[in-house]
Amino acid sequence: QTPLQKTKALIAQMGVTFLNAYVPSALCCPSRASILTGKYPHNHHVVNNTLEGNCSSKLWQKIQEPYTFPALLKTMCGYQTFFAGKYLNEYGAEDAGGVGHVPPGWSFWYALEKNSKYYNYTLSVNGKARRHGENYSVDYLTDVLANMSLDFLEYKSNFEPFFMMISTPAPHSPWTAAPQYKKSFQNVSAPRNSNFNIHGKNKHWLIRQAKTPMTNSSIQFLDDAYRKRWQTLLSVDDLIEKLVKKLELNGELDNTYIFYTSDNGFHTGQFSLPIDKRQLYEFDIKVPLLVRGPGIKPNQTNKMLVANIDLGPTILDIAGYDLNKTQMDGMSLLPLLTGDKNVTWRSDFLVEYQGEGYNGSDPTCPGLGPGVTHCFPDCVCEDSYNNTYACVRTLSTSWDLQYCEFDDREVFVEVYNLTADPHQINNIAKTIDQEILEKMNYRLMMLQSCSGATCRTPGVFDPGYRFDPRLMFSNHGVRARRYSAQSLKGT
């Protein structure tokens, strides 16, 4: 038994499940910014969850917000647009205009101030602050979002098309379940895959510093968190059921596309990291993506490599907007949704993250030195300011591969062959063919500087790929250095 049974029945079984859907950055704010802009983090410049990291900053508001896909839907395509829930983690911050700031592109705006909560929060209702307390029947946020959404569907204009974005904080911490679900899943614990509670050998130092085996208190904590997250999802499941029923009642269900996804994955005990996200592994970067709607056959799965930067282009494409007029890095999923057999698709995409942290050391863990953050009582830290990496995630007919470089003094490299090693236990950077490494290093540099159409050029394992090793040593500085010594020997 899993928590999203109704969602599976009402969306997945009535449409398509994408088996390989990813986020280019496994953290709320950069990921949500990618959904809104259709861009990789290096193009929207939101690098982490802080105002300094450009999360909902004045700069973001000025440079990116006017060009999000909802803004284009409203101004160019005549849509009524509705937002309810968690927007960006620093939304509503005093330094960024407070809750009075309503981003361009939204006809109806019900946004949560700051980060995830279930009770005792403030909503910006079209720019006016509305406080909520802790009375379940009127304040539980998931249900409040459901009710606002149903109201919109009841009272919206029937003469214009509509777009709704409902962004539940659940299953984000603090994992407060609705009272009727607090006893659910009593016997559930976090999955014990082969990478659970093992030492992350041959991995970046941040992974290696985790204590193995984990303490009993950490294991109890992560199992408890896993269970509570499932409990909060039962209310999300109810929300989806109510929405689908309402669309059906209005006679609009068959004419409406419904997308279900998340902003990042989450780990619970893999490589002995208790709980968080923001690492480069599958458990953090992979997300669900379910879509139903006109022209989509029921009960399908799709194995193509898709990313959240594709959502904006897809929705604009559905609305009939010319994607060539945008600066988006993603691709429209519409040909995949409608089963177009002639579509050429990507074989790789970019994952990038800039570590969060500060120059002081954590007083509880002085031994770990400066810059660590999100530390557990037993000094297992989930992030640091030099936890900064970029990866090429490749999926083609012949390869299922991930190549990553850390932007630190040693330019640490991790490579995984997911065909042989789906749980990413063995880093094969030292044993994989040198030529593949050089091509991946070059491809990574290309993707890290890509924009718009250049983000969609053929990957290393596409027939159309062109590799010119001379370009690797022109002006890329740090990233290319790693291979220069070996490469020059061979010439």
Side-chain angles (χ1 to χ4, degrees):
Q1 178 70 348
T2 54
L4 292 163
Q5 295 299 322
K6 299 169 187 173
T7 303
K8 280 184 189 153
L10 294 169
I11 307 180
Q13 284 163 23
M14 300 306 291
V16 58
T17 300
F18 285 92
L19 300 174
N20 293 299
Y22 290 88
V23 294
S25 198
L27 190 60
C28 331
C29 208
S31 184
R32 286 158 185 267
S34 284
I35 292 173
L36 289 161
T37 59
K39 294 177 182 177
Y40 281 124
H42 68 266
N43 288 329
H44 62 57
H45 307 297
V46 177
V47 295
N48 55 38
N49 284 348
T50 63
L51 269 179
E52 301 72 48
N54 205 25
C55 181
S56 211
S57 68
K58 280 271 176 35
L59 190 69
W60 152 267
Q61 291 172 19
K62 185 174 153 195
I63 295 176
Q64 301 298 338
E65 263 183 357
Y67 306 102
T68 61
F69 80 85
L72 294 173
L73 276 181
K74 184 169 185 260
T75 54
M76 302 312 224
C77 309
Y79 272 64
Q80 334 167 51
T81 54
F82 168 93
F83 182 88
K86 176 178 167 178
Y87 179 58
L88 299 172
N89 300 52
E90 287 293 332
Y91 171 75
E94 285 302 306
D95 297 352
V99 294
H101 169 69
V102 178
W106 298 103
S107 330
F108 301 90
W109 179 252
Y110 302 96
L112 178 66
E113 177 190 33
K114 300 282 189 76
N115 203 355
S116 306
K117 287 186 173 178
Y118 294 78
Y119 292 111
N120 297 315
Y121 52 87
T122 298
L123 288 179
S124 168
V125 178
N126 299 317
K128 298 209 167 28
R130 182 191 291 169
R131 285 282 307 144
H132 276 265
E134 48 194 318
N135 173 349
Y136 169 70
S137 60
V138 292
D139 296 318
Y140 188 67
L141 184 57
T142 310
D143 295 351
V144 169
L145 299 179
N147 294 336
M148 287 172 164
S149 304
L150 296 173
D151 280 353
F152 169 74
L153 287 174
E154 180 69 29
Y155 299 114
K156 69 179 172 55
S157 151
N158 288 331
F159 302 107
E160 298 165 314
F162 69 94
F163 168 74
M164 305 174 74
M165 190 169 189
I166 303 157
S167 176
T168 65
H172 198 289
S173 63
W175 315 302
T176 314
Q180 70 272 30
Y181 294 137
K182 279 194 178 344
K183 297 264 189 300
S184 305
F185 306 121
Q186 290 294 349
N187 305 322
V188 167
S189 53
R192 303 309 203 239
N193 290 337
S194 54
N195 55 9
F196 180 82
N197 202 10
I198 64 167
H199 178 60
K201 61 179 192 307
N202 301 328
K203 289 184 166 37
H204 186 234
W205 73 269
L206 189 68
I207 309 295
R208 293 198 306 266
Q209 57 86 30
K211 306 269 189 307
T212 310
M214 290 181 284
T215 59
N216 287 345
S217 60
S218 281
I219 292 177
Q220 198 177 341
F221 180 73
L222 67 87
D223 277 336
D224 196 37
Y226 191 85
R227 202 163 29 247
K228 287 178 174 166
R229 287 167 63 226
W230 272 27
Q231 292 168 357
T232 69
L233 284 171
L234 290 169
S235 295
V236 177
D237 210 29
D238 292 342
L239 174 152
I240 285 164
E241 181 185 42
K242 289 174 195 163
L243 277 175
V244 171
K245 280 187 168 163
K246 181 68 178 166
L247 286 166
E248 193 165 27
L249 195 66
N250 288 0
E252 295 176 321
L253 183 59
D254 294 340
N255 201 24
T256 304
Y257 288 91
I258 304 176
F259 293 75
Y260 177 90
T261 191
S262 175
D263 53 357
N264 49 256
F266 205 65
H267 56 257
T268 39
Q270 288 88 345
F271 304 126
S272 303
L273 295 170
I275 60 162
D276 197 43
K277 48 237 172 180
R278 62 183 110 221
Q279 307 306 344
L280 53 88
Y281 308 103
E282 293 285 285
F283 43 73
D284 284 0
I285 62 174
K286 205 167 189 176
V287 290
L289 177 58
L290 318 171
V291 193
R292 69 170 284 172
I296 304 178
K297 295 191 176 71
N299 252 324
Q300 294 187 82
T301 54
N302 186 301
K303 291 183 173 158
M304 294 299 192
L305 193 56
V306 301
N308 71 3
I309 53 173
D310 300 334
L311 295 169
T314 305
I315 291 164
L316 289 172
D317 197 11
I318 288 169
Y321 188 71
D322 178 1
L323 295 177
N324 294 325
K325 293 183 180 164
T326 72
Q327 297 294 306
M328 294 184 175
D329 303 333
M331 303 165 69
S332 169
L333 302 174
L334 197 52
L336 301 184
L337 295 175
T338 53
D340 181 348
K341 293 284 179 278
N342 296 328
V343 64
T344 52
W345 201 251
R346 68 161 73 85
S347 62
D348 65 11
F349 78 100
L350 175 69
V351 180
E352 47 190 354
Y353 177 63
Q354 191 170 319
E356 247 181 89
Y358 52 94
N359 283 335
S361 46
D362 188 305
T364 54
C365 311
L368 286 174
V372 291
T373 173
H374 298 81
C375 297
F376 278 78
D378 36 9
C379 282
V380 176
C381 300
E382 295 277 4
D383 204 7
S384 70
Y385 68 88
N386 67 353
N387 179 35
T388 296
Y389 57 80
C391 307
V392 181
R393 180 73 182 86
T394 292
L395 189 60
S396 67
T397 44
S398 47
W399 287 92
D400 188 353
L401 199 66
Q402 187 176 15
Y403 169 91
C404 300
E405 288 181 14
F406 280 83
D407 192 9
D408 55 16
R409 262 170 290 185
E410 51 176 339
V411 192
F412 192 78
V413 174
E414 294 186 30
V415 183
Y416 298 98
N417 172 358
L418 285 100
T419 312
D421 177 25
H423 293 128
Q424 296 171 295
I425 294 167
N426 303 309
N427 177 6
I428 56 168
K430 300 255 194 313
T431 55
I432 194 170
D433 179 15
Q434 185 69 25
E435 189 190 350
I436 291 182
L437 272 184
E438 287 178 18
K439 283 183 173 174
M440 294 302 268
N441 169 255
Y442 174 62
R443 179 66 178 156
L444 183 61
M445 292 188 301
M446 298 283 293
L447 284 173
Q448 281 187 286
S449 55
C450 78
S451 173
T454 56
C455 297
R456 305 189 286 271
T457 54
V460 169
F461 299 103
D462 284 345
Y465 177 75
R466 295 284 169 268
F467 172 56
D468 181 354
R470 286 168 308 190
L471 294 174
M472 289 177 62
F473 311 115
S474 53
N475 52 6
H476 285 295
V478 171
R479 300 214 168 272
R481 263 186 230 145
R482 180 176 171 78
Y483 298 120
S484 50
Q486 298 106 305
S487 308
L488 296 172
K489 278 182 212 149
T491 48

